[in-house]
Amino acid sequence: MLEDETTDLLQQLIQNACVNDGRVESGAEIRSVDLLQQYLGSAGLDVERYEPRPGRASLVARIEGSDPEAKSLLLMGHTDVVPVNADGWSREPFSGDIVDGFVWGRGAVDMLNITASQAVAFRNLAQSGFRPKGTLIYLAVADEEALGTWGAKYLVEHERDAVYADYVLTESGGYQMPTPEGIRLPVLTAEKGTFWSKLRIGGTPGHGSQPFRTDNAVVTASEVVRRIHAYRPQTQIQDVWRQFVEGMHYPPEIAGAFLDPEGLHDALAELPLGMSRLVHACTHTTFSPNVMHGGTKTNVIPDTVELEVDIRTLPGQTGEEVRAMLDDALGDLADRVEIESNNDPSTESPVDTPLWDSLARVTGRLVEGSALVPFLMVGGTDNRFFRRAGSVGYGFALFSRRLSFEDYATMFHGNDERVDVESLGLSEELWEAVARDLLE
Ligand SMILES: [Zn+2]
């Protein structure tokens, strides 16, 4: 049974513990590339390997289409995972143990579950003699958890011909959300951008024993932090959010509040905490002051503070617009602050595409009474590199009813990450069915 094959492969990927802590010498995804090469190779499939830095390997396998004009599809899963704090877990985080129908371990939902089910689907298609018109590509990619530098970003820039496809499917989405009109399955058609900023706040050094009327950079910086925290960017109701709210069939008073640019901010206070954070992030540019370094010694009045602010931008926003918001937040302190920003804008794919239609047909069969809704990813995925290169990229997979959106959200980079075996089987069926529907 392919559900069992997916489960087995997922357990081994978890046990490989390709932990990416952001350092180039971490990750060691080569272990999972070896595993996947062996797995696909045992069915007679050829694979290509790319290793831009020692150990940071990615693997590509292809089923060439018969018609060079036909559109291609890429199934992409990352093999790296984020670090764990084992103290917070109730089981060993890299065991891959199965308990009560759930596979436990770091990466179970982000996203080794998908990496495994895509590999099984790809191998099964190849073995069953699948000869599509359009090319099918499988990519097990390194370094997603640290900006994709040695993974998707590198491959799109340096090995475009090997990995580029017209359509891309990767994490996440596809959890079953009940509505009065039936199950809705979110497809991540867009993701927010980042505008990470380093703020340097100056002062005048002096002796700590005479602080009266001094120009202390830590004191100024604390006011800068307070202003950024208090800043209320305008609510923006964009297309993806509107289509999501309409598709969810919320009661009219909730839908009304969710689509009201004037009233939404106040309505957030009434929502459960996790929900209010997500709704806020989907409808606002967000500013989070997260790192601060300043001062050198207890008896020295500090003349420099460095503050790092995690800014997340909405589809369509330019760097100039975001910079103007930051200046607005700082007010009359703006000229006391030097700002260095790295703009990585939001990316978006349209909803009216053959990929969307194909997903809709297939999921309608696999999850009875379901329909798709577009959704905005508030974090980042490797889809952004492919969208910028011209692909239509969606975040999607399928999950059973045993895994709610709330479970899923808390396990992402959290403790006690696990996935049920039924979800693995559903996703495996999804990839096979979409490849056949779209490429044949
Ligand atoms: Zn991920």
Side-chain angles (χ1 to χ4, degrees):
M1 203 121 155
L2 294 175
E3 189 177 278
D4 298 339
E5 206 167 308
T6 306
T7 303
D8 187 58
L9 190 58
L10 170 61
Q11 288 178 293
Q12 296 181 62
L13 289 169
I14 290 171
Q15 287 157 3
N16 278 348
C18 299
V19 176
N20 184 350
D21 63 14
R23 291 174 308 134
V24 64
E25 59 273 24
S26 73
E29 295 91 342
I30 192 166
R31 290 168 293 158
S32 287
V33 162
D34 288 342
L35 167 69
L36 289 163
Q37 181 166 14
Q38 196 176 35
Y39 173 72
L40 295 170
S42 67
L45 287 162
D46 291 330
V47 305
E48 295 291 333
R49 299 164 63 119
Y50 300 91
E51 194 179 345
R53 286 292 178 279
R56 310 310 300 268
S58 297
L59 168 149
V60 181
R62 304 170 71 91
I63 299 174
E64 263 344 297
S66 59
D67 176 0
E69 301 296 307
K71 303 280 189 199
S72 51
L73 171 67
L74 170 66
L75 303 175
M76 171 170 60
H78 64 78
T79 51
D80 59 325
V81 296
V82 292
V84 294
N85 177 2
D87 294 345
W89 284 63
S90 31
R91 311 197 75 84
E92 205 280 295
F94 297 102
S95 68
D97 285 347
I98 301 179
V99 183
D100 188 26
F102 279 81
V103 182
W104 282 64
R106 174 57 89 220
V109 294
D110 181 14
M111 64 174 289
L112 305 179
N113 56 325
I114 298 174
T115 311
S117 58
Q118 288 180 338
V120 172
F122 186 90
R123 183 181 190 268
N124 193 52
L125 282 166
Q127 274 196 315
S128 67
F130 181 53
R131 290 289 170 270
K133 287 199 187 76
T135 297
L136 177 67
I137 310 170
Y138 171 71
L139 168 58
V141 72
D143 205 26
E144 192 275 343
E145 297 290 1
L147 302 175
T149 313
W150 308 115
K153 183 171 190 286
Y154 175 87
L155 291 169
V156 169
E157 282 173 8
H158 301 277
E159 304 289 349
R160 190 180 189 279
D161 290 349
V163 296
Y164 181 81
D166 301 293
Y167 303 118
V168 178
L169 289 172
T170 189
E171 63 185 337
S172 54
Y175 17 83
Q176 301 193 27
M177 301 176 93
T179 80
E181 307 285 318
I183 296 293
R184 290 297 174 269
L185 303 166
V187 180
L188 301 170
T189 56
E191 66 189 51
K192 292 183 84 174
T194 54
F195 192 82
W196 287 354
S197 297
K198 194 174 269 183
L199 278 59
R200 209 163 289 106
I201 297 128
T204 310
H207 201 287
S209 63
Q210 299 172 53
F212 188 61
R213 294 175 67 186
T214 52
D215 172 24
N216 183 322
V218 165
V219 174
T220 311
S222 66
E223 176 60 11
V224 167
V225 170
R226 196 200 61 75
R227 289 185 186 185
I228 290 172
H229 177 67
Y231 181 60
R232 286 246 318 243
Q234 240 182 1
T235 303
Q236 295 202 28
I237 307 298
Q238 297 190 322
D239 285 348
V240 181
W241 177 248
R242 183 183 306 281
Q243 289 163 0
F244 171 74
V245 171
E246 286 166 357
M248 288 300 288
H249 299 282
Y250 290 116
E253 65 278 13
I254 295 186
F258 278 2
L259 296 176
D260 173 14
E262 307 306 321
L264 177 60
H265 201 276
D266 294 333
L268 291 173
E270 310 294 319
L271 295 175
L273 192 56
M275 180 81 168
S276 69
R277 284 181 186 151
L278 184 63
V279 174
H280 176 266
C282 284
T283 51
H284 295 82
T285 315
T286 57
F287 296 76
S288 191
N290 292 347
V291 179
M292 184 150 83
H293 297 289
T296 52
K297 200 164 177 290
T298 308
N299 64 355
V300 176
I301 290 174
D303 62 353
T304 328
V305 171
E306 273 194 352
L307 173 66
E308 291 172 39
V309 187
D310 183 356
I311 303 175
R312 304 284 174 142
T313 60
L314 290 164
Q317 278 184 323
T318 65
E320 291 74 48
E321 284 169 335
V322 184
R323 178 55 201 262
M325 294 171 96
L326 193 50
D327 286 342
D328 198 21
L330 297 175
D332 62 4
L333 286 176
D335 55 8
R336 299 282 310 271
V337 181
E338 248 176 70
I339 303 175
E340 223 178 89
S341 301
N342 181 24
N343 186 23
D344 195 359
S346 168
T347 59
E348 193 171 12
S349 286
V351 170
D352 55 339
T353 67
L355 180 59
W356 178 278
D357 297 343
S358 180
L359 285 176
R361 278 190 293 273
V362 167
T363 53
R365 289 204 300 273
L366 292 177
V367 181
E368 208 180 311
S370 71
L372 305 176
V373 285
F375 198 54
L376 176 67
M377 175 89 186
V378 299
T381 75
D382 281 337
N383 251 330
R384 69 186 183 282
F385 304 111
F386 287 87
R387 288 195 188 118
R388 284 179 195 146
S391 309
V392 168
Y394 295 152
F396 198 66
L398 272 181
F399 293 93
S400 79
R401 295 295 291 275
R402 291 192 75 182
L403 207 71
S404 71
F405 172 69
E406 284 72 25
D407 295 336
Y408 181 81
T410 50
M411 289 192 294
F412 226 82
H413 294 197
N415 294 330
D416 287 350
E417 192 177 341
R418 61 202 184 279
V419 69
D420 66 296
V421 168
E422 191 191 332
S423 292
L424 297 174
L426 265 176
S427 286
E428 193 281 324
E429 280 188 73
L430 167 76
W431 311 125
E432 279 198 43
V434 169
R436 288 188 185 284
D437 185 274
L438 191 66
L439 303 177
E440 265 183 341

